[in-house]
Amino acid sequence: QWLCDKSELRAKEFRIEGVNYRLTQGVIKHIIPAVASTNAVIAAACATEVFKIATSCAPYMDNYMVINDSEGIYSFTYAPEKKDNCIVCSGKKEPLNFPENAKLREIVEYLCEDPKFSLKSPGITTIIDGQNKTLYMKTKALEQLTKPNLDLTLGELGLSDGHEIYVGDPNLSRAVVFTVNFISE
């Protein structure tokens, strides 16, 4: 009860509403132990790694560690591998070969239908004359503003041969850079 009284005083001081005995008990019984046990596991993992590095008694963590402590403790480490031809991991600029009179809609369809990319709802931006320009975004707020661009040609949008466009998508962990290459029809 003492802890609940102190919690209510703090809640009043910071204008927090809804603090009661049941919620205070929930924090005491669940949140505090979870934070403490997680901190203890991380501290133990760090100490183990320092020991392994200092003594060379075992291979040390290469890159990534997963800890599962929902029922007991289980952890493992692994080094995520990278495909050289992955459009996200490689960081290479991908070529997009289209005629200058192709419409932006054709690029969006290509990015969604081509198995190499399989994008869900690509958002496309670029830089024209030093200014960021959103060509198309399929979000509720921006789709209405950028949908007319789908019917414009690449030239009408201000894109030139060799121009870079940046494509983001829920299927990608980060934006991918594409280079627009004009081809003759």
Side-chain angles (χ1 to χ4, degrees):
Q1 184 60 42
W2 174 84
L3 197 52
C4 183
D5 294 339
K6 293 294 183 184
S7 298
E8 287 173 354
L9 285 174
R10 182 169 170 78
K12 285 178 188 172
E13 180 182 346
F14 292 98
R15 297 185 188 110
I16 301 171
E17 297 178 12
V19 175
N20 58 33
Y21 185 77
R22 185 183 62 80
L23 291 176
T24 305
Q25 285 290 88
V27 169
I28 294 168
K29 290 181 178 181
H30 300 290
I31 307 294
I32 294 173
V35 171
S37 64
T38 302
N39 286 347
V41 168
I42 292 169
C46 291
T48 302
E49 290 306 310
V50 167
F51 179 77
K52 290 191 296 188
I53 291 169
T55 63
S56 299
C57 67
Y60 50 86
M61 188 183 326
D62 189 13
N63 192 326
Y64 193 79
M65 181 176 192
V66 175
I67 299 173
N68 183 345
D69 64 349
S70 57
E71 293 181 17
I73 296 260
Y74 173 74
S75 71
F76 65 96
T77 63
Y78 68 95
E81 295 184 19
K82 178 170 113 173
K83 288 174 55 179
D84 291 333
N85 63 346
C86 173
I87 63 170
V88 176
C89 299
S90 69
K92 295 177 184 171
K93 296 174 185 168
E94 288 289 320
L96 281 176
N97 301 316
F98 282 89
E100 186 175 359
N101 63 353
K103 297 188 185 287
L104 183 62
R105 179 180 310 280
E106 295 173 50
I107 289 183
V108 172
E109 289 170 356
Y110 171 74
L111 292 173
C112 292
E113 293 169 5
D114 189 296
K116 181 178 180 181
F117 308 115
S118 299
L119 302 184
K120 186 172 153 183
S121 58
I124 303 174
T125 62
T126 190
I127 298 173
I128 297 176
D129 297 326
Q131 299 291 316
N132 288 335
K133 182 175 182 181
T134 301
L135 300 178
Y136 180 68
M137 288 284 174
K138 196 171 183 175
T139 60
K140 290 179 183 179
L142 292 174
E143 186 172 24
Q144 290 178 347
L145 296 171
T146 59
K147 197 170 187 175
N149 288 345
L150 290 174
D151 295 320
L152 297 176
T153 67
L154 302 179
E156 291 171 337
L157 289 167
L159 299 177
S160 56
D161 190 43
H163 211 107
E164 291 181 356
I165 61 172
Y166 307 93
V167 178
D169 188 80
N171 288 347
L172 302 173
S173 60
R174 65 182 177 94
V176 176
V177 181
F178 288 88
T179 304
V180 177
N181 298 318
F182 289 156
I183 57 173
S184 56
E185 291 184 65

